[in-house]
Amino acid sequence: MPSASGQNALPETSAASGTARFASIGSPYFGVMLAVMAVVLILSNIGASKGVVLGPIITDGGFFLFPLAYILGDVISEVYGFRVARKAILTTFALSVFASLCYWVIIALPGFDDEFGASKQAALEGALGPVPQIVLASLLAFLAGQTINSWILVRMKARTGEKSLWARIMGSSVAGEFVDTLIFCSIAASVIGITDFGMFVNYVVAGFVYKTLVEFILVPVTSLVIGWIKKREPSYGAGALAA
């Protein structure tokens, strides 16, 4: 049975099986999650321009924010399906590009030529100047990682239906986070001051392990949020919908 908006109609999930169900976009919940995902990615891009050392671990200033984007991606994929998740990923991508262009314009605009103006300009260039390369790394990594994460989760749901939510979240997260971390670190490492192979390996491994562990630890919370939204989405469970 197709959704009213047609957002989730793909042939790969059997409608007769009655196992894989998704909601159409018809409530405020998707819009709120999309907005939060975009803000999280934009703030992560800014924070990632700063290298951070926590004992033996090398990471960046956006490390504590970015896992939230993947958790939101899991919720959107599970509730609304792959096509809606892809729309969220591409919208977040576009908003991050827009933010980066805004940074460039702000830095390029002529400022006050006194000492205070010069110091503010230097601070802006120092904080936001490296961001375009960070944004490139983040966007390519986010696009690839989130797409893989969403696709795997939805494909697993096509096989298991409403069962084994924890397995879908964890299995998709491992693949998505690994691709995301590898792409991001490969492009962004030089910007935040990582100059040798040992530091790079530390950066990749620490980032992947940390982000994956955060998602694993928060699986119970993610599951509760998913269950809460499913109960409040009028179109969820109305029929078997393909993602």
Side-chain angles (χ1 to χ4, degrees):
M1 172 177 152
S3 65
S5 63
Q7 292 291 333
N8 297 305
L10 283 178
E12 66 261 29
T13 304
S14 170
S17 67
T19 55
R21 295 174 295 172
F22 301 94
S24 58
I25 302 174
S27 73
Y29 302 117
F30 172 74
V32 171
M33 288 188 288
L34 174 60
V36 174
M37 181 185 289
V39 170
V40 166
L41 184 61
I42 291 169
L43 292 177
S44 296
N45 291 340
I46 297 173
S49 64
K50 175 180 178 177
V52 173
V53 179
L54 300 172
I57 298 173
I58 297 174
T59 183
D60 57 65
F63 79 96
F64 65 97
L65 278 169
F66 195 73
L68 180 56
Y70 266 79
I71 291 170
L72 290 168
D74 287 338
V75 176
I76 291 172
S77 299
E78 172 68 21
V79 176
Y80 301 99
F82 180 70
R83 288 192 177 181
V84 174
R86 184 172 59 189
K87 177 183 290 187
I89 293 166
L90 293 176
T91 302
T92 301
F93 182 99
L95 290 172
S96 294
V97 170
F98 175 71
S100 185
L101 291 174
C102 289
Y103 302 149
W104 178 79
V105 171
I106 291 168
I107 290 173
L109 287 171
F112 298 142
D113 56 6
D114 57 8
E115 183 178 349
F116 178 76
S119 66
K120 295 292 287 184
Q121 178 70 17
L124 277 172
E125 291 176 358
L128 301 180
V131 165
Q133 186 170 337
I134 295 292
V135 167
L136 175 64
S138 179
L139 290 180
L140 293 178
F142 179 81
L143 187 63
Q146 276 282 15
T147 300
I148 290 172
N149 178 72
S150 177
W151 185 83
I152 290 176
L153 189 149
V154 172
R155 293 301 297 172
M156 291 178 70
K157 185 174 182 179
R159 295 176 179 271
T160 63
E162 296 298 306
K163 299 178 181 178
S164 303
L165 174 59
W166 64 272
R168 292 197 293 279
I169 294 173
M170 295 173 72
S172 62
S173 296
V174 169
E177 291 288 12
F178 177 75
V179 171
D180 184 292
T181 304
L182 184 61
I183 293 174
F184 178 82
C185 293
S186 298
I187 299 173
S190 61
V191 177
I192 68 170
I194 294 176
T195 56
D196 62 64
F197 184 71
M199 292 176 68
F200 175 76
V201 172
N202 187 316
Y203 189 31
V204 172
V205 172
F208 170 68
V209 171
Y210 164 75
K211 287 184 283 189
T212 304
L213 280 177
V214 169
E215 288 209 53
F216 284 7
I217 291 170
L218 292 179
V219 163
V221 177
T222 305
S223 300
L224 287 174
V225 172
I226 288 172
W228 189 88
I229 294 176
K230 283 179 177 178
K231 291 178 181 179
R232 285 160 179 79
E233 277 290 5
S235 60
Y236 193 86
L241 302 175

